[in-house]
Amino acid sequence: MSCLLATVRGAAVRPPTARLRVAIRGRRPVEAASGSGASKHGPGPDSAVPFSRSGTAQGIPARRCQALRGTAAAPTAQQVPCVGGRRRAGTMSVSDMFIALQGVLTADQDIREEIRKVVQALEQTAREILTLLQGVHQGTGFQDIPKKCQKAREHFGTVKVQLDSLKTKFPADQYYRFHEHWRFVLQRLVFLAAFVVYLESETLVTREAVAEILGIEADRERGFHLDIEDYLSGVLTLASELSRLAVNSVTAGDYSRPLRISTFINELDSGFRLLNLKNDSLRKRYDGLKYDVKKIEEVVYDLSIRGLNKEATPGAGGEK
């Protein structure tokens, strides 16, 4: 009985580290080092656990060995960004990374600012051409159509110079990156060029002809070019302008022009019906074409019920 109590007291006062050794030995017995006085079944309760040169106990997992020794594992090379106060080759600090990014953003903003200045000049020229062509809607404007078209073409010479300047403001291979800046003014210029050509010949201007008037390319591969969607948007704007011109032609006493405009708009509508337009801004613009067609048909209907279309029929193909 006294021996049992002594054994219990020895276990009670044994430190936690010693108990951990006992628990570990109980799970994975190890061979005692020679000369330590251990039995052949394993080290004694008071013997030390042998460690290898790598710092881990023989036969004991690394995590248990760390708990046994009371030390944390040494950080790996990936966890140490600097060795001896020097940064590893090929790395960059966070501050340096963001400084480099700010340089890229600043360069991009400078390019966009230069583009905006040229686009503002283009918008001003487009307003001048539009103001000039709006005179055809006046009572005496139909007699001055050739002169107004000639003056408008002179303004397109200024447009060419401004577009040439715009080409130099951004890299040639980044057209669509900055396209949003000049998209709307380019569509307006397409409309104005198409309106001039219609007033001169009552025909639809081609995309190649518009590109020539503006001094740009029609082929995408050749640099600054006229995008197909921009061309179609300008043509749809032309349809809206012609529907207004049809009404003002009747007011000015020109009853044959609405008939010719009606024929032109119907052909234009048929052409757009051949296109498979997606649900985007161009499709929304095209949906407005049906209202232009309806407006012109109402003008033609009013002329027919009043008998004015018979008077205009002999001159439908030209001047009366």
Side-chain angles (χ1 to χ4, degrees), residues 59-74:
I60 302 177
R63 296 179 61 183
R64 295 179 182 175
C65 178
Q66 294 167 12
L68 180 63
R69 301 184 62 178
T71 58

Side-chain angles (χ1 to χ4, degrees), residues 102-176:
Q102 180 59 41
V104 176
L105 293 176
T106 301
D108 184 79
Q109 292 172 0
D110 293 341
I111 292 176
R112 294 182 184 276
E113 185 62 28
E114 293 295 326
I115 291 175
R116 290 191 190 98
K117 293 178 181 179
V118 181
V119 170
Q120 289 177 357
L122 278 170
E123 290 174 346
Q124 178 61 32
T125 306
R127 285 192 291 267
E128 294 175 0
I129 299 175
L130 180 61
T131 302
L132 179 63
L133 295 178
Q134 288 299 303
V136 301
H137 294 285
Q138 305 300 324
T140 59
F142 292 99
Q143 289 77 19
D144 298 333
I145 285 179
K147 295 181 179 179
K148 294 182 181 299
C149 291
Q150 181 62 32
K151 291 182 180 180
R153 286 190 175 272
E154 294 175 359
H155 282 78
F156 277 111
T158 305
V159 171
K160 287 184 179 181
V161 176
Q162 293 169 343
L163 286 175
D164 288 339
S165 176
L166 180 60
K167 298 175 187 178
T168 63
K169 302 303 181 181
F170 63 95
D173 57 344
Q174 298 182 9
Y175 175 88
Y176 285 103

Side-chain angles (χ1 to χ4, degrees), residues 35-299:
S36 61
S39 65
K40 63 180 179 179
H41 299 289
D46 297 330
S47 61
V49 178
F51 287 86
S52 64
R53 293 182 178 180
S54 61
T56 59
Q58 297 179 359
I60 302 177
R63 296 179 61 183
R64 295 179 182 175
C65 178
Q66 294 167 12
L68 180 63
R69 301 184 62 178
T71 58
T76 61
Q78 296 179 354
Q79 297 174 340
V80 182
C82 299
V83 178
R86 297 180 180 178
R87 191 167 300 277
R88 292 180 299 172
T91 62
M92 181 183 296
S93 66
V94 175
S95 299
D96 293 339
M97 290 172 58
F98 278 87
I99 290 174
L101 292 176
Q102 180 59 41
V104 176
L105 293 176
T106 301
D108 184 79
Q109 292 172 0
D110 293 341
I111 292 176
R112 294 182 184 276
E113 185 62 28
E114 293 295 326
I115 291 175
R116 290 191 190 98
K117 293 178 181 179
V118 181
V119 170
Q120 289 177 357
L122 278 170
E123 290 174 346
Q124 178 61 32
T125 306
R127 285 192 291 267
E128 294 175 0
I129 299 175
L130 180 61
T131 302
L132 179 63
L133 295 178
Q134 288 299 303
V136 301
H137 294 285
Q138 305 300 324
T140 59
F142 292 99
Q143 289 77 19
D144 298 333
I145 285 179
K147 295 181 179 179
K148 294 182 181 299
C149 291
Q150 181 62 32
K151 291 182 180 180
R153 286 190 175 272
E154 294 175 359
H155 282 78
F156 277 111
T158 305
V159 171
K160 287 184 179 181
V161 176
Q162 293 169 343
L163 286 175
D164 288 339
S165 176
L166 180 60
K167 298 175 187 178
T168 63
K169 302 303 181 181
F170 63 95
D173 57 344
Q174 298 182 9
Y175 175 88
Y176 285 103
R177 180 182 179 185
F178 305 101
H179 177 239
E180 61 182 19
H181 291 284
W182 61 76
R183 178 178 59 182
F184 295 107
V185 67
L186 195 59
Q187 293 174 2
R188 176 62 62 87
L189 291 172
V190 170
F191 150 64
L192 295 173
F195 193 26
V196 170
V197 172
Y198 179 83
L199 292 175
E200 293 175 343
S201 60
E202 295 188 356
T203 58
L204 177 63
V205 66
T206 63
R207 178 167 164 246
E208 291 74 15
V210 175
E212 183 179 357
I213 293 173
L214 299 179
I216 59 179
E217 302 292 340
D219 188 4
R220 176 178 179 177
E221 303 298 331
R222 301 180 64 179
F224 195 98
H225 62 282
L226 176 60
D227 189 75
I228 295 178
E229 293 186 1
D230 294 339
Y231 167 74
L232 294 177
S233 297
V235 170
L236 289 172
T237 306
L238 172 66
S240 300
E241 190 71 14
L242 291 181
S243 65
R244 179 189 174 196
L245 183 62
V247 176
N248 293 328
S249 298
V250 176
T251 304
D254 188 353
Y255 304 130
S256 64
R257 190 178 295 273
L259 301 179
R260 301 196 300 273
I261 292 177
S262 177
T263 301
F264 177 82
I265 293 297
N266 286 324
E267 292 177 354
L268 193 63
D269 181 56
S270 300
F272 270 94
R273 290 179 184 275
L274 297 175
L275 302 178
N276 183 19
L277 300 177
K278 303 299 181 181
N279 190 17
D280 53 5
S281 59
L282 184 60
R283 177 55 188 264
K284 295 177 181 179
R285 295 284 300 275
Y286 166 67
D287 291 339
L289 180 60
K290 60 184 178 182
Y291 299 105
D292 298 327
V293 173
K294 182 180 179 181
K295 183 177 181 179
I296 297 173
E297 287 176 348
E298 291 176 352
V299 173

Side-chain angles (χ1 to χ4, degrees), residues 19-40:
R19 291 200 299 271
L20 181 58
R21 292 198 191 101
V22 174
I24 293 174
R25 292 194 199 96
R27 293 186 180 181
R28 298 189 63 179
V30 297
E31 296 182 0
S34 59
S36 61
S39 65
K40 63 180 179 179

